[in-house]
Amino acid sequence: MKTPVFLSIMLVTFISDYTSNNVTLREGYQVGDVVSDFELKNVDGKMISLSDFKEAKGFIITFTCNTCPFAKAYEDRIIALDKKYASKGYPVIAINPNNPQVQPGDSYKSMQERAQEKGYTFPYLVDEGQHVYPEFGATKTPHMFVLQKTKKGNVVKYIGAIDDNYKDAGAVKTKYVEDAVDALLKGEAVKQTETKAIGCSIKV
């Protein structure tokens, strides 16, 4: 009877080691997976798909929202990512995964108002029915996914946080998303492919 106990201890140890190494066990797309296209409504009322971006080399997907303090802290950095990388072929695509019945501040109207107020230069899509975020395995707002367009489709190259300091943009030491996109633009492999997303839980 010692074997099951031993295996249980080993499993707990493995999970503890894995999750403590800046990574969270999660379902959904993993690094290397090909992402299925989706069609979601933008704040301008138009339906948007990844296939609409014919000239894109990839995408910076962010699951974010209006209300989460972490999302607000990262908002200007998300805007800056689009301004830096959209012209290089990696536009930001923001998706609000929250249920507005649970989080009224994340209603479609509130999304429209926020996008106009902040001057978003990227699509801000509503995940109506909350079908897309589970496919990605997003668990937080914000939760980042860097995709590279290949012959196979849009391949996941990075999952996790934007950088290593949500509290202070000026104190950031490692810019995970920028490092990933810069590597892809140079034709290099992404060195750090996954980190722990820091943010609010998605409201279902």
Side-chain angles (χ1 to χ4, degrees):
M1 296 298 291
K2 292 182 179 180
T3 301
V5 175
F6 175 75
L7 290 175
S8 297
I9 293 172
M10 289 297 292
L11 180 60
V12 170
T13 301
F14 168 77
I15 292 174
S16 177
D17 287 345
Y18 190 79
T19 54
S20 65
N21 190 28
N22 259 349
V23 179
T24 302
L25 291 172
R26 45 178 290 282
E27 297 180 353
Y29 295 130
Q30 305 297 319
V31 172
D33 287 348
V34 177
V35 172
S36 298
D37 203 357
F38 52 78
E39 187 176 56
L40 297 175
K41 186 167 66 173
N42 190 19
V43 287
D44 63 3
K46 296 179 181 179
M47 301 303 291
I48 299 292
S49 297
L50 298 181
S51 57
D52 294 333
F53 296 80
K54 305 296 184 186
E55 304 302 318
K57 298 175 182 177
F59 301 93
I60 300 170
I61 306 287
T62 176
F63 288 88
T64 188
C65 66
N66 295 347
T67 57
C68 172
F70 294 90
K72 290 179 179 179
Y74 272 119
E75 187 175 29
D76 288 340
R77 278 174 266 184
I78 291 171
I79 293 171
L81 282 172
D82 189 64
K83 289 182 177 178
K84 180 174 183 177
Y85 291 109
S87 62
K88 298 179 181 180
Y90 280 83
V92 166
I93 307 290
I95 302 173
N96 180 0
N98 283 346
N99 182 350
Q101 301 297 324
V102 177
Q103 196 77 6
D106 286 321
S107 69
Y108 183 64
K109 182 179 180 182
S110 296
M111 289 173 60
Q112 291 176 310
E113 292 171 350
R114 189 65 181 174
Q116 183 175 12
E117 176 187 347
K118 292 293 292 185
Y120 284 180
T121 53
F122 47 84
Y124 188 23
L125 312 179
V126 56
D127 188 5
E128 289 183 308
Q130 299 183 294
H131 300 301
V132 173
Y133 90 81
E135 292 183 6
F136 276 79
T139 60
K140 303 291 184 182
T141 52
H143 205 150
M144 310 299 293
F145 295 77
V146 174
L147 314 181
Q148 182 183 37
K149 188 182 289 187
T150 72
K151 292 180 179 179
K152 295 188 298 182
N154 292 303
V155 177
V156 179
K157 293 294 185 177
Y158 170 79
I159 302 171
I162 294 176
D163 55 42
D164 64 358
N165 195 321
Y166 75 89
K167 294 180 180 179
D168 184 0
V172 170
K173 294 181 180 178
T174 307
K175 298 180 178 181
Y176 304 124
V177 170
E178 289 197 27
D179 288 349
V181 177
D182 285 342
L184 295 174
L185 287 171
K186 294 176 184 176
E188 300 173 354
V190 176
K191 292 182 180 179
Q192 188 157 11
T193 58
E194 191 164 357
T195 60
K196 183 178 179 180
I198 305 297
C200 305
S201 60
I202 291 173
K203 306 300 184 289
V204 297

